[in-house]
Amino acid sequence: MKIFVKVFASLRKKYPNITDLNPLEMEIDKGTTLAQLIARLNFNQEEVKIILVNGLRASVEDIINEEGSIISFFPAVGGG
Amino acid sequence: MEFGYMNKWLKVNLTLKEFKDFSISEDILRKYVGGKGIAVHLLWKYVSKLEEKGINVKDFDALSSENMLIFATGPVTGTRSPNSGRHHVMALKSPLTGSIGSGNSGGRWGAKLKFAGYDGIVVIGKTEKPVYISIIDGSVEIHDATELWGKNSIETSNHLRNKHDKKRAGVSCIGPAGENLVPMAVIINEEHRAVGRTGLGAVMASKNLKAIIVEGNSKPNIAKPDEFNLKVKEHVEKLKENGVTGEGLPTYGTAVLVNIINQNGMFPTKNWQTGVNPDAEKISGETLTEEYLIDKHPCWGCVVACGRKTKVDKGNYKITYTEGPEYESIWALGGTTTINNMAAVIKANHYCDIFGMDPISVGSSIAAAMELNEKGMIPEEDLQGIDLRFGNADAVIELTWMTAFRQGLGFWIGEGSRKMCQHYGSPDLSMSVKGLEMPAYDPRGAKGIGLNYATGNRGGCHVTGYTIAAEILGDVDRFTTEGKAELTKIFQDFTSLVNSSVNCLFLTFALGLDEYAEMIGPITGWDVNSDELLTIGERITNLERMIINKFGITGKDDTLPKRLLEEKMPEGPSKGQTVDLDTMKEEYYELRGWVDGIPSEEKIIELGLK
Ligand code: SF4
C-alpha cells in the first residue's frame, strides 16, 4: 500500500529533503501501525510529538488503513 | 511595597507639560499584581472620573487629548526570572476598534523602565508641538521632538540613544504611520518589537508624543532572594527541557507553526475563503531558517529567543538586516494574501516595523481588499493601477507603505478591514471581531479559539486566550465544542495574570500557574498560590469587560464573522466545519457569571469589584 510521509521542523535534521511540497512516497504493508512506521523511519517515539493522518490527529497505536494516506510527523512545536 | 516594585509611577499631563510621581497601595497591587491589571484598574478609575465630569465615555474619541495611555510593568519585570523584559500598554479606547486599547511587547524597554526607577507611566493630554520624554536614573524630562518627527523607528531610536549617550537604553517610539494617525499604528521598542495591536501608536501620536527613552541602574528588591534564585534555576531548567521552549522556538521561531496549522487545514487563506494553502511550505519556519536566518534574537533576560535576525540576499526584496517575521506577520502579509513569498514578507514586515504598523491588521486588511477586488467591489479609480489580485507580492509591498502614508487605497486599509469593507459595501468580508482583525487560526478547525476570538475584550485576538496550545499543540479534540468554554476561560484568565506579571506568554508552554506563584511569591514576599493568581486573572478580565460595557460593547459584539459561522470550510482536513458559537457562548457566560456579555452583580461583588 502506498502512503506519503511528511516530516517537519527538527525532524528534518534526519530527512532534510522531505517537505510538504516533496513528501516521501513509501510502500507499507496493510496493518502497519504508526509506531512501526516511526521505527522504520529511524525516529524514536519521544521525538515525534504530534502525528496527523490526512490532517487528523492520530496516535502511535493507530493502524494506517487508507491507500494514499498523508502522514505528517511533528516534534514539539509552539508559538503564537 | 518594599519588594518587587519600584514603588513609583509617573503621571504626565502633556497639555500642562507637568508630571508628578504617585504610588499604588499594596492592597491594590495584591488585587491586580501589576502590568495589565494595574492599567485596567487605573482606566476604570479614570472612567468614573470622566463620567463625573459629564463626559460620555461611549462617544469618547480615541484620538482626543483625554484618552489615557498607560505603560506598565509588574513585579516580575526586570528581575532574574526568565523572559521578564516585557511591558504592557493600554489606552482607554482604541482608534481602530472603539473597544479598549491593549498590547504587550517584548524587547527590553519594560526592564529598563524599572531600572530607571518607575513601575509605570500614565500619559494624558496633548502638547502643541512634538515632544519626547526621557527617564534616566529617576530623572524625568520632557524635550522638544520637532527634529524627530518624520523619522522612522530605527532612526528615532538611534538618534535618542546617541543624543543621551546611552547605548543600551530602551526606546519606545512611533513611526510615520503613527504620526499620520493610522488607526493600526503600533508603538515600537528596540526597533523591531511592537505593542502590536489596537492602534496604540496612533494614540501616542495624537498626544504628539514621539518617544520615551528609559535607562538607569535601580533594581527591584527581592523579598526572598535564596528561594527566588532557586526557583529561577528550576524554571530555566524546565524551559530548556521543554520541546517547545527548549528547541522549537529557538530553532525556528514562531513561524514553526505555519506548517502544522496548514496541515490541520486551518491556515486562513485568501481572506479565509479556505484553510488550506498548498504553498505554505514556502513561507514556513523551516524555509525562514534555511534561507533567510542570520541568528536568533532574544528579548532582555530571555532564555528562549524566538526572535529572528534575518536578511534577503538577492532579488527585488533584498535587505541586509532586519528582524522577524514571526508567525502572525508571515501569515497576514504572506499567507492570507497568498503571496507565499518569504522575501517579500520579510520586506513588508520590515516596512511595518520601521513605519510602525501592526502587520496582522495590515496584511489581513490587504487580503480583505483583494477579496473585495475579486468580487468587483472596488472601483477602478480607487485601485490607481494596482493589480490587486491574491498572490501579487508587489501589491502587498506597495500597499504596506501606502497604508503608512495614507495614500490612495492605503487610506482605507489603514482604517481597518471593518470600515473598509463597510465603505465598499461588503461588511461581511471583514475578518475581524469588534473591529480587530483576527490572527492566523481558522476556528472552523479549532472551536475553542473561535470562542476566544468572539469574547476577547480587545477583539479578535489569539493572545487573549491561546487555546491552540491545547487544541492543536496538545491533546484536546479540536472539533468538539464540549469543554471549550472552560478551556477558554482558564486560558484568558491565566493570560491576564501573565500580562500583569509582566513576562512572556511563551513561558506558559513550559510553566504553569504553580510556577507563577513560585515567581511572584518570593519576589513580593506574598504567600500566593495558583488559585489566588487565577482569581486575580479573572478579576482583571472582568474589570476590563466592565470598561468595554461602558462603551456599549455587550453580548451582541461577542461574535464572529458570518463566514466562520455559516460557510462550511470548503476543503482539507477541516472540511465541512463551521463554528457553533452560540452553544459555547452560552456555557461560557454561565461559567463567567455574565449575562449577555455583562458581569452580573454577584460576580462583581465576588471579585471585589464593587
Ligand atoms: S520567547 Fe520570544 S517574545 Fe518571549 S521574551 Fe523570548 S524572544 Fe521575547
Side-chain angles (χ1 to χ4, degrees), chain B residues 368-380 383 388 424-426 429:
Chain B
M370 286 172 161
E371 191 176 356
L372 285 168
N373 183 47
E374 195 175 63
K375 298 198 159 43
M377 303 299 289
I378 304 183
E380 207 59 43
L383 291 171
L388 196 58
Y424 287 113
S426 297
L429 295 188

Short mmCIF file of all heavy atoms in Angstrom, two decimals, chain B residues 368-380 383 388 424-426 429:
data_model
loop_
_atom_site.label_atom_id
_atom_site.label_comp_id
_atom_site.label_asym_id
_atom_site.label_seq_id
_atom_site.Cartn_x
_atom_site.Cartn_y
_atom_site.Cartn_z
N ALA B 368 -8.44 41.41 2.65
CA ALA B 368 -9.86 41.75 2.51
C ALA B 368 -10.07 42.61 1.26
O ALA B 368 -11.03 42.42 0.50
CB ALA B 368 -10.36 42.46 3.75
N ALA B 369 -9.12 43.54 1.03
CA ALA B 369 -9.20 44.38 -0.18
C ALA B 369 -9.07 43.51 -1.43
O ALA B 369 -9.76 43.74 -2.43
CB ALA B 369 -8.11 45.45 -0.15
N MET B 370 -8.23 42.49 -1.36
CA MET B 370 -8.07 41.59 -2.51
C MET B 370 -9.38 40.86 -2.81
O MET B 370 -9.76 40.68 -3.95
CB MET B 370 -6.94 40.59 -2.23
CG MET B 370 -5.55 41.22 -2.34
SD MET B 370 -4.25 40.09 -1.79
CE MET B 370 -2.80 40.86 -2.56
N GLU B 371 -10.07 40.45 -1.74
CA GLU B 371 -11.34 39.76 -1.99
C GLU B 371 -12.40 40.74 -2.49
O GLU B 371 -13.20 40.42 -3.37
CB GLU B 371 -11.83 39.00 -0.75
CG GLU B 371 -13.00 38.10 -1.13
CD GLU B 371 -13.52 37.21 -0.01
OE1 GLU B 371 -12.94 37.22 1.10
OE2 GLU B 371 -14.53 36.52 -0.27
N LEU B 372 -12.40 41.95 -1.93
CA LEU B 372 -13.34 42.98 -2.43
C LEU B 372 -13.10 43.18 -3.93
O LEU B 372 -14.05 43.26 -4.72
CB LEU B 372 -13.11 44.31 -1.71
CG LEU B 372 -13.63 44.46 -0.28
CD1 LEU B 372 -13.06 45.72 0.37
CD2 LEU B 372 -15.16 44.49 -0.24
N ASN B 373 -11.83 43.21 -4.29
CA ASN B 373 -11.47 43.42 -5.70
C ASN B 373 -11.88 42.22 -6.55
O ASN B 373 -12.42 42.38 -7.65
CB ASN B 373 -9.95 43.66 -5.79
CG ASN B 373 -9.51 43.95 -7.20
OD1 ASN B 373 -10.13 44.76 -7.88
ND2 ASN B 373 -8.48 43.27 -7.66
N GLU B 374 -11.67 41.01 -5.99
CA GLU B 374 -12.06 39.79 -6.70
C GLU B 374 -13.55 39.82 -7.00
O GLU B 374 -14.01 39.34 -8.03
CB GLU B 374 -11.73 38.60 -5.78
CG GLU B 374 -11.72 37.24 -6.42
CD GLU B 374 -11.24 36.18 -5.40
OE1 GLU B 374 -11.92 35.98 -4.37
OE2 GLU B 374 -10.18 35.57 -5.64
N LYS B 375 -14.32 40.41 -6.08
CA LYS B 375 -15.77 40.44 -6.25
C LYS B 375 -16.23 41.71 -6.97
O LYS B 375 -17.42 42.01 -7.01
CB LYS B 375 -16.45 40.33 -4.88
CG LYS B 375 -16.11 38.99 -4.21
CD LYS B 375 -17.07 38.65 -3.11
CE LYS B 375 -17.12 37.18 -2.73
NZ LYS B 375 -15.88 36.44 -2.62
N GLY B 376 -15.26 42.47 -7.46
CA GLY B 376 -15.59 43.66 -8.25
C GLY B 376 -16.15 44.82 -7.43
O GLY B 376 -16.88 45.67 -7.95
N MET B 377 -15.82 44.89 -6.15
CA MET B 377 -16.41 45.91 -5.29
C MET B 377 -15.58 47.21 -5.22
O MET B 377 -16.04 48.20 -4.66
CB MET B 377 -16.59 45.38 -3.86
CG MET B 377 -17.43 44.12 -3.73
SD MET B 377 -19.11 44.31 -4.30
CE MET B 377 -19.81 45.35 -3.04
N ILE B 378 -14.35 47.17 -5.71
CA ILE B 378 -13.53 48.39 -5.63
C ILE B 378 -13.47 49.06 -7.00
O ILE B 378 -13.03 48.44 -7.97
CB ILE B 378 -12.09 48.07 -5.14
CG1 ILE B 378 -12.14 47.33 -3.79
CG2 ILE B 378 -11.25 49.34 -5.01
CD1 ILE B 378 -10.79 47.01 -3.18
N PRO B 379 -13.93 50.30 -7.09
CA PRO B 379 -13.92 50.98 -8.40
C PRO B 379 -12.49 51.13 -8.93
O PRO B 379 -11.54 51.31 -8.15
CB PRO B 379 -14.52 52.35 -8.11
CG PRO B 379 -14.97 52.35 -6.71
CD PRO B 379 -14.44 51.15 -6.02
N GLU B 380 -12.40 51.04 -10.24
CA GLU B 380 -11.12 51.15 -10.95
C GLU B 380 -10.29 52.34 -10.47
O GLU B 380 -9.08 52.21 -10.22
CB GLU B 380 -11.47 51.31 -12.45
CG GLU B 380 -10.44 50.82 -13.43
CD GLU B 380 -10.08 49.34 -13.31
OE1 GLU B 380 -10.98 48.51 -13.15
OE2 GLU B 380 -8.88 49.06 -13.38
N LEU B 383 -8.28 51.87 -7.38
CA LEU B 383 -7.14 50.95 -7.46
C LEU B 383 -5.87 51.63 -7.95
O LEU B 383 -4.75 51.16 -7.70
CB LEU B 383 -7.46 49.77 -8.39
CG LEU B 383 -8.52 48.80 -7.87
CD1 LEU B 383 -8.91 47.81 -8.96
CD2 LEU B 383 -8.03 48.05 -6.64
N LEU B 388 -4.53 44.25 -7.86
CA LEU B 388 -4.86 43.77 -6.52
C LEU B 388 -5.41 42.34 -6.54
O LEU B 388 -6.52 42.08 -6.09
CB LEU B 388 -5.86 44.73 -5.86
CG LEU B 388 -6.04 44.63 -4.35
CD1 LEU B 388 -4.75 44.82 -3.62
CD2 LEU B 388 -7.07 45.65 -3.87
N TYR B 424 -16.90 49.81 1.08
CA TYR B 424 -17.07 49.22 -0.25
C TYR B 424 -18.29 48.30 -0.35
O TYR B 424 -18.44 47.54 -1.30
CB TYR B 424 -15.79 48.50 -0.69
CG TYR B 424 -14.68 49.48 -1.04
CD1 TYR B 424 -13.52 49.57 -0.28
CD2 TYR B 424 -14.80 50.34 -2.14
CE1 TYR B 424 -12.52 50.48 -0.58
CE2 TYR B 424 -13.81 51.26 -2.46
CZ TYR B 424 -12.67 51.32 -1.68
OH TYR B 424 -11.68 52.23 -1.99
N GLY B 425 -19.15 48.37 0.66
CA GLY B 425 -20.46 47.72 0.55
C GLY B 425 -20.48 46.22 0.81
O GLY B 425 -21.46 45.56 0.48
N SER B 426 -19.42 45.66 1.41
CA SER B 426 -19.43 44.23 1.74
C SER B 426 -18.91 43.99 3.15
O SER B 426 -17.84 43.39 3.34
CB SER B 426 -18.55 43.44 0.76
OG SER B 426 -19.03 43.52 -0.53
N LEU B 429 -17.08 40.79 4.51
CA LEU B 429 -15.74 40.34 4.09
C LEU B 429 -14.65 40.76 5.08
O LEU B 429 -13.49 40.39 4.91
CB LEU B 429 -15.40 40.87 2.69
CG LEU B 429 -16.28 40.34 1.55
CD1 LEU B 429 -15.72 40.77 0.19
CD2 LEU B 429 -16.39 38.82 1.60
#
